[in-house]
Amino acid sequence: MSCKSIKQFALKPLLAILFWTLTSSVPAQEPELNPTVGLRNTPDFLFAADADENLIDVISVHTHETVYRFETKYHVDQILATPNAPLLIYTNIEHKRIVAINLLEKTVYKDIQLTMTPRHVVLDTSGMKLGISDSLDGGFVLFHAYSMEPILELPDFIPTTDVLFDPNEVDIHYSNNLTGSVGIIDSNTGKTWEMNLYAEATPSSFSSPSRSLDSQYIYVADKNTSKVFAVSAYTREVLQSYDVQTPARPYTSPAGYFLYLLDEVNGKFTAIEQHQFAPFAEVDLKTGIDTVVVGQFDRMNLLLSTSNKNYYLFDNNSKSVTLESEFKYTPLSAEATADGKTAFVSFSEAPYIAAIDLVNGAISYFDATNNGVGISAAGLSNTVCH
């Protein structure tokens, strides 16, 4: 999953006209459901691709109803929507394709053959660029999200998972398992810089990097050494490290107060005050966790795992678990709406998505896809670090 807290601009009407002009000559696809439904404002929707069939359901975040269904040419492996323009983008690993759909016209805008495998796709903080990486064979491509033209191509780039965009719109952070390093791509020049987190080159099992809201700190977890590192983005030194038995990717809260450390096996949850690196709260849960969804004002936190059905609501005010329960199915992924009021949890083993009120914990399930969700994305989420 990726930095998804996107700056809102007053560009939507102009961008909508741009996409209508660019795609008015593309032959229309056969629509499903209501062909007149408007899909202009992507933050109003959740996009869910089927785990087996080539289709994407467009679901209202307000009514939880599927308002439109796209049939796709390829199986959908990754998906994202640009928040300031009506554009839906998906990738296919087998055929090395990236496809952009104009949501105004409900037509394919671009279908591009890549020279690398798009295993990981991330949108930048402005919503105007996307970075594609491959954790197996390597390679990196930076695309302009609206024109779908490549800005930077690094065919010999090291294998890495999700990259992390800096809000300065130049630096792109990544982790290097081959040497035990974190690095930066200068998107203007294509040059890279790396910092080893150990005394010598050490094969690692790094998470993708995460960052503080102001991008002053970069965080990365290494399963091989059970360490989570806090690195200064300015002085480029390790400021702090934490011991976590089986660390998930570090999370930072949307309002910028907390760093969350999660243990995938023993369920230990730790909240750290970022700017002092001081422990704020710690709780041992009954089951492992690897995912956090944060509510409004960094107060309520939904803690869950993609390996079991258990979930918890943790209140930062009381520093305690206020709700403990189980989903009907094992989660695939989870994210919150932009306002932080609702969390959406997808499941691959059943054609449903759960909506959870992040204040009182009320939960409901609604239909999505035919066979279960393969990948999903909100048009705009409050997740800021990944």
Side-chain angles (χ1 to χ4, degrees), residues 271-293:
I272 305 290
E273 291 184 272
Q274 287 195 80
H275 295 291
Q276 298 178 0
F277 296 118
F280 174 80
E282 186 175 286
V283 61
D284 288 317
L285 305 172
K286 295 179 181 178
T287 54
I289 51 172
D290 58 21
T291 302
V292 180
V293 179

Side-chain angles (χ1 to χ4, degrees), residues 12 20 66 78 97 99 131 146 150 161 177 182 193 209 234 245 309 321 359 375 385:
K12 292 182 181 178
W20 183 88
T66 299
Q78 296 289 339
R97 309 295 296 198
V99 180
Y146 300 157
T161 54
N177 284 332
V182 291
W193 170 90
Y234 302 126
Q245 181 179 325
K309 299 177 183 179
V321 173
V359 176
I375 190 74
C385 71

Side-chain angles (χ1 to χ4, degrees), residues 80-372:
L80 54 84
T82 58
N84 299 314
L87 188 66
L88 180 66
I89 299 168
Y90 76 88
T91 58
N92 173 268
I93 290 174
E94 180 184 1
H95 299 286
K96 299 182 179 181
R97 309 295 296 198
I98 182 167
V99 180
I101 297 172
N102 178 354
L103 292 172
L104 283 182
E105 294 295 302
K106 304 182 180 69
T107 57
V108 171
Y109 166 50
K110 290 283 183 75
D111 182 348
I112 300 168
Q113 176 74 60
L114 299 170
T115 57
M116 60 168 292
T117 305
R119 297 185 198 280
H120 309 276
V121 184
V122 180
L123 195 66
D124 83 332
T125 56
S126 72
M128 297 181 67
K129 299 175 185 176
L130 56 94
I132 302 174
S133 56
D134 181 3
S135 54
L136 293 184
D137 302 318
F140 176 78
V141 180
L142 181 67
F143 270 90
H144 191 288
Y146 300 157
S147 68
M148 293 304 295
E149 295 292 335
I151 302 170
L152 173 67
E153 296 184 71
L154 302 175
D156 298 324
F157 192 68
I158 54 98
T160 194
T161 54
D162 288 356
V163 298
L164 176 72
F165 284 96
D166 194 287
N168 66 18
E169 299 185 19
V170 175
D171 295 337
I172 303 172
H173 303 274
Y174 65 91
S175 54
N176 184 346
N177 284 332
L178 301 177
T179 60
S181 305
V182 291
I184 294 173
I185 302 170
D186 183 321
S187 62
N188 288 334
T189 66
K191 294 181 178 179
T192 61
W193 170 90
E194 291 192 358
M195 169 189 169
N196 201 301
L197 298 184
Y198 300 99
E200 57 186 24
T202 303
S204 305
S205 181
F206 280 136
S207 67
S208 294
S210 302
R211 64 172 174 83
S212 58
L213 186 63
D214 59 8
S215 203
Q216 184 175 351
Y217 308 119
I218 305 300
Y219 306 106
V220 66
D222 185 1
K223 283 190 171 71
N224 282 2
T225 59
S226 300
K227 291 284 188 182
V228 176
F229 295 95
V231 179
S232 170
Y234 302 126
T235 63
R236 299 181 177 179
E237 62 181 331
V238 175
L239 300 175
Q240 187 65 270
S241 64
Y242 303 93
D243 295 318
V244 181
Q245 181 179 325
T246 312
R249 185 180 185 180
Y251 278 65
T252 58
S253 58
Y257 298 119
F258 301 111
L259 163 67
Y260 293 140
L261 308 179
L262 318 174
D263 194 303
E264 295 181 355
V265 175
N266 67 25
K268 186 177 181 180
F269 169 73
T270 305
I272 305 290
E273 291 184 272
Q274 287 195 80
H275 295 291
Q276 298 178 0
F277 296 118
F280 174 80
E282 186 175 286
V283 61
D284 288 317
L285 305 172
K286 295 179 181 178
T287 54
I289 51 172
D290 58 21
T291 302
V292 180
V293 179
V294 186
Q296 287 183 306
F297 315 117
D298 284 3
R299 178 178 176 180
M300 302 302 293
N301 304 273
L302 174 66
L303 310 176
L304 59 101
S305 172
T306 54
S307 299
N308 62 67
K309 299 177 183 179
N310 300 277
Y311 70 90
Y312 311 85
L313 272 185
F314 181 84
D315 186 343
N316 275 329
N317 281 6
S318 65
K319 300 183 181 181
S320 64
V321 173
T322 60
L323 175 67
E324 178 180 343
S325 189
E326 287 189 9
F327 294 113
K328 294 180 179 178
Y329 317 98
T330 302
L332 171 72
S333 62
E335 59 187 325
T337 51
D339 60 13
K341 293 181 178 180
T342 306
F344 292 111
V345 182
S346 300
F347 309 97
S348 61
E349 59 191 35
Y352 303 103
I353 291 176
I356 300 179
D357 188 309
L358 288 175
V359 176
N360 59 31
I363 186 171
S364 62
Y365 293 80
F366 55 88
D367 295 337
T369 72
N370 291 338
N371 305 287

